[in-house]
Amino acid sequence: MAVTTYVEAIRQGIWEEMEKDERVFVIGEDVGIYGGAFKVTAGMLERFGEWRIIDTPISESGIVGAAIGAALMGMRPVAEMQFADFISCAFDQITNFAAKCRYRWGAGIPIVVRGPSGGGVHGGPFHSQNPEMYFVHTPGLKVVCPATAYDAKGLIKAAIRDPDPVIYFEHKFLYRRVKEELPTDDFVVPIGKAAIRRKGADITIVTYGAMVYTALDAAKELEKEGIDLEIIDLRSLLPFDKEAVLDSVRKTNKVILLHEDTQIGGFAGELAAIISEEAFEYLDGPIRRITAPNTPVPYSPPLEEFFLPKVSDVIRVARELYAY
């Protein structure tokens, strides 16, 4: 098995699906000659040609609109947003057309809309956002947020094979920092299944994306104090693995909900409601949230460092909850 980075895993997943299925094609800004802003599509133009690797003008609404039309004609488009922040320009096509076609007249729209999200790279308020919740609130879509190279490859392949629209948020901070050995045979990661990244007995942390590593780093420090964290990586937000969350909470009796997105309207609020409704009797303390504050992402590096949830935040809240 070869050591593969997170970004290379995405590239391999798309490449392999294009080799298997000639209906799969890539469309987006600079995906062809330039190979994508982060090189996810590097080399694909030379291998698959300009009919399957399509450079477009700067028009996210046009990219997604064309992808939806192609999907209705039987194709399997992978639409790249150069930065996930600009997916908002295609919001109407995604939420009012792609998401609703199956409900309106039985037509599935098998498209993948993927792009780099998240902060930690000093990209400022237009290149660092976490826009997942706009789409989690839209029935008819699936939303995935892989944290590992294995999941990045397995989920992009699952997304391409899915009969309905999938929004695939890849965290740019992980692109070349995260790597692991991947199997050489074909595999997918099922959409909607969480993973236990660390087993523990005292407190459950439910998280996803780059925050998985923040939680794991905090767990190493807290282990020295005898505080044993269990870490659930959701991997998919819509649908999400409710039973994995509830089973862990029922075991540890205390829970911290951690995400990089801002707090109001964030996924932690939804999780807190479900845990309160279905596992309240098991709780031995308040449900705690650790999120970014309710501001745009700062451009200033020191302010961005303050803005993003950190290991020290997890350690502080875990100590408080453990002592409750």
Side-chain angles (χ1 to χ4, degrees):
M1 295 190 291
V3 174
T4 306
T5 62
Y6 179 99
V7 68
E8 175 61 16
I10 300 167
R11 178 177 170 276
Q12 287 183 8
I14 297 171
W15 189 295
E16 290 177 13
E17 293 306 298
M18 293 188 72
E19 293 282 7
K20 287 176 179 294
D21 187 345
E22 64 180 12
R23 297 174 302 167
V24 179
F25 72 94
V26 174
I27 183 169
E29 300 155 9
D30 292 326
V31 297
I33 295 171
Y34 192 64
F38 293 93
K39 302 304 179 187
V40 172
T41 54
M44 292 188 181
L45 179 65
E46 293 77 6
R47 173 66 183 90
F48 299 105
E50 62 185 9
W51 289 100
R52 297 182 68 192
I53 305 295
I54 301 172
D55 276 325
T56 71
I58 301 175
S59 175
E60 286 77 12
S61 60
I63 293 166
V64 175
I68 292 171
L72 286 170
M73 297 301 292
M75 304 298 284
R76 295 265 174 174
V78 178
E80 176 175 305
M81 303 287 102
Q82 201 163 76
F83 287 86
D85 311 61
F86 302 115
I87 197 172
S88 58
C89 298
F91 190 79
D92 187 39
Q93 284 89 344
I94 294 171
T95 59
N96 278 329
F97 291 90
K100 293 181 173 62
C101 269
R102 185 174 293 285
Y103 291 84
R104 292 170 71 188
W105 47 285
I109 303 291
I111 64 170
V112 178
V113 182
R114 50 155 290 269
S117 63
V121 295
H122 311 320
F126 301 115
H127 297 82
S128 301
Q129 296 177 71
N130 292 281
E132 60 265 26
M133 290 306 292
Y134 299 122
F135 305 99
V136 170
H137 190 62
T138 303
L141 299 178
K142 296 182 177 72
V143 180
V144 301
C145 299
T148 69
Y150 183 90
D151 287 354
K153 184 172 182 178
L155 281 170
I156 193 68
K157 292 167 78 73
I160 292 171
R161 297 179 192 183
D162 198 277
D164 291 301
V166 179
I167 313 300
Y168 182 100
F169 289 114
E170 52 210 54
H171 202 295
K172 68 176 80 66
F173 186 79
L174 305 179
Y175 269 157
R176 293 173 177 82
R177 290 177 172 87
V178 169
K179 59 188 74 172
E180 63 185 302
E181 291 186 345
L182 298 183
T184 55
D185 56 337
D186 184 40
F187 69 93
V188 297
V189 171
I191 295 173
K193 296 297 291 183
I196 300 174
R197 298 299 178 198
R198 184 183 192 279
K199 290 189 176 181
D202 295 325
I203 299 172
T204 295
I205 293 187
V206 184
T207 188
Y208 57 92
M211 288 293 108
V212 169
Y213 300 95
T214 302
L216 288 169
D217 288 345
K220 288 180 185 174
E221 293 301 314
L222 290 165
E223 188 177 31
K224 302 171 186 173
E225 305 173 22
I227 302 175
D228 193 15
L229 301 185
E230 176 149 300
I231 298 170
I232 305 293
D233 173 8
L234 290 173
R235 304 199 287 190
S236 299
L237 303 187
L238 186 67
F240 81 99
D241 194 342
K242 184 171 74 172
E243 288 311 311
V245 172
L246 293 176
D247 286 348
S248 182
V249 172
R250 287 168 182 144
K251 183 180 78 171
T252 65
N253 311 122
K254 293 182 178 180
V255 61
I256 295 171
L257 309 172
L258 169 65
H259 58 62
E260 187 179 312
D261 190 13
T262 52
Q263 186 168 90
I264 293 178
F267 201 65
E270 182 63 26
L271 287 171
I274 290 171
I275 293 168
S276 296
E277 289 169 350
E278 302 191 32
F280 181 79
E281 299 298 331
Y282 292 86
L283 292 174
D284 286 340
I287 300 170
R288 297 293 302 270
R289 289 183 291 176
I290 303 173
T291 71
N294 295 307
T295 74
V297 184
Y299 185 75
S300 159
L303 287 178
E304 186 186 25
E305 183 179 352
F306 175 81
F307 171 87
L308 295 172
K310 296 176 286 297
V311 172
S312 58
D313 297 323
V314 179
I315 291 174
R316 173 180 53 79
V317 173
R319 284 173 177 161
E320 293 170 358
L321 189 55
Y322 182 76
Y324 184 86

